[in-house]
Amino acid sequence: MKFLVTGGAGFIGSNLTKFLCDRGHEVIVVDDLSWGYRRLVDPRAKFIKGQIQDRRLMEKILPKTDVVFHLAALSTINLSLKKPVFYFENNVLNAIQLLEAMRKTGVNRIVYSSTSSVYGEPKRLPIREDDSKEAISPYGGSKFAFENVLSAYYHSFGINSVSLRYFNVYGPNDEQKDNPRAVPTWIKQALTGAPLRVFWRGKQEKDYIFVGDIVRANWLAARHCRGRRYYNVGSGRSVIMNDIIKMLEKIFGKKLPINHAGERAGDAQRVVGDNSKLKKELGWRQ
């Protein structure tokens, strides 16, 4: 099969590309390298430096593509608070250009990397797919906006799509520029002796999921990409951030200095997902 992976030089996209290449598929990666790294792209994939809003480029690449995996999006809450217009332009308007190129070339399946940030601060745990969505950051808002665009393109033009709402992903190749994720940031700080920058006094409740599990969810979604579907992709287990700090202290064999940075805008305090729908409908397992 032939796949297009947008954002394939990033954390999740590079892992997905390797997975597809390992199975002998033809993979084209499109990435402008503004956040990813060329060296992370599997050499068996065809790499094209470009942008998804370049309609001429996308219409040249897309013919005979079986499925598009769309991961080319801005994905940090902090930056979305500083540059909200930039986020909505990139995550919504530019992505619509990708859909238009798909429509023009007759490609009708897309797997979209969404986020648990669409839910905002949940009213109950674990979060289910049909729970209320009230984003508390431009990042979450832009992701949910594009989910609605995908719904419109399915009902209007027959483009099938699956939205995968990732929770907190960890694993190899997590080298995003200006990386805000706690675990890789804390490890680097611990290695250099710098204080760990901790929000909410470490009392946040998160759902951590390994990138390999995310990749398999994408693969299953591509195989079942019919209609319009939404799935949580998380472990379903609660992790308190202070417990991660204790684990790091055990690994490093010392007490780690802490810099309590207060509350962080746009970041929910308790986020744990119900993954039963993904297991039941797609047969996903961790």
Side-chain angles (χ1 to χ4, degrees):
M1 296 179 72
K2 179 181 176 181
F3 298 104
L4 170 62
V5 180
T6 70
F11 171 30
I12 299 171
S14 61
N15 280 280
L16 174 60
T17 297
K18 181 181 184 303
F19 177 95
L20 296 172
C21 289
D22 284 346
R23 280 149 186 79
H25 298 291
E26 180 182 352
V27 183
I28 297 176
V29 169
V30 173
D31 199 302
D32 65 5
L33 301 181
S34 57
W35 296 93
Y37 298 92
R38 176 67 179 87
R39 61 180 170 78
L40 295 182
V41 180
D42 193 291
R44 293 169 293 180
K46 181 179 180 180
F47 175 76
I48 299 174
K49 184 178 180 181
Q51 298 177 316
I52 59 171
Q53 66 267 34
D54 184 341
R55 286 274 298 280
R56 182 176 295 182
L57 173 64
M58 300 313 295
E59 289 174 12
K60 182 179 179 180
I61 294 170
L62 279 165
K64 298 184 180 180
T65 296
D66 294 293
V67 180
V68 173
F69 292 99
H70 178 42
L71 300 96
L74 299 170
S75 60
T76 64
I77 291 173
N78 289 347
L79 185 59
S80 79
L81 294 169
K82 297 174 182 176
K83 298 182 177 181
V85 174
F86 181 45
Y87 258 68
F88 281 100
E89 286 178 343
N90 186 83
N91 291 359
V92 183
L93 298 181
N94 290 353
I96 289 173
Q97 295 301 320
L98 170 62
L99 288 179
E100 280 295 287
M102 291 176 62
R103 188 160 74 97
K104 178 75 175 291
T105 54
V107 178
N108 68 351
R109 287 190 288 171
I110 180 170
V111 178
Y112 174 52
S113 289
S114 189
T115 172
S116 60
S117 290
V118 302
Y119 298 110
E121 194 69 62
K123 296 177 174 59
R124 66 174 178 179
L125 295 181
I127 305 166
R128 297 176 184 172
E129 284 86 353
D130 57 357
D131 283 350
S132 63
K133 288 93 185 159
E134 191 170 342
I136 58 176
S137 70
Y139 167 58
S142 67
K143 286 290 199 173
F144 188 52
F146 191 64
E147 285 194 7
N148 282 283
V149 170
L150 287 173
S151 178
Y153 268 70
Y154 168 64
H155 291 289
S156 299
F157 310 117
I159 295 180
N160 303 281
S161 59
V162 180
S163 290
L164 300 177
R165 294 170 181 158
Y166 305 153
F167 284 72
N168 292 74
V169 189
Y170 70 95
N173 292 0
D174 189 0
E175 301 180 32
Q176 178 178 305
K177 299 169 186 176
D178 190 30
N179 197 333
R181 285 184 279 274
V183 173
T185 300
W186 287 350
I187 290 173
K188 290 176 183 176
Q189 290 169 339
L191 288 170
T192 61
L196 275 57
R197 193 161 186 247
V198 178
F199 295 96
W200 302 97
R201 302 198 68 82
K203 296 179 180 179
Q204 279 182 302
E205 190 174 352
K206 299 287 188 178
D207 182 332
Y208 275 88
I209 179 77
F210 182 62
V211 68
D213 296 318
I214 293 284
V215 165
R216 286 187 293 103
N218 273 270
W219 173 242
L220 290 168
R223 294 173 61 188
H224 297 84
C225 190
R226 293 181 295 275
R228 182 71 195 104
R229 300 186 181 191
Y230 310 80
Y231 297 101
N232 289 334
V233 190
S235 68
R237 296 186 294 271
S238 170
V239 176
I240 306 300
M241 301 308 289
N242 278 327
D243 290 337
I244 295 178
I245 295 173
K246 292 176 183 177
M247 185 183 301
L248 289 175
E249 289 178 334
K250 184 176 181 180
I251 292 170
F252 282 91
K254 62 180 180 180
K255 188 75 173 176
L256 298 173
I258 304 294
N259 171 22
H260 287 292
E263 299 179 0
R264 182 164 61 172
D267 192 11
Q269 295 184 59
R270 302 171 69 239
V271 184
V272 180
D274 182 336
N275 58 25
S276 59
K277 182 181 178 185
L278 184 65
K279 290 179 176 178
K280 180 179 179 181
E281 295 188 7
L282 300 191
W284 177 85
R285 295 290 183 272
Q286 287 177 265

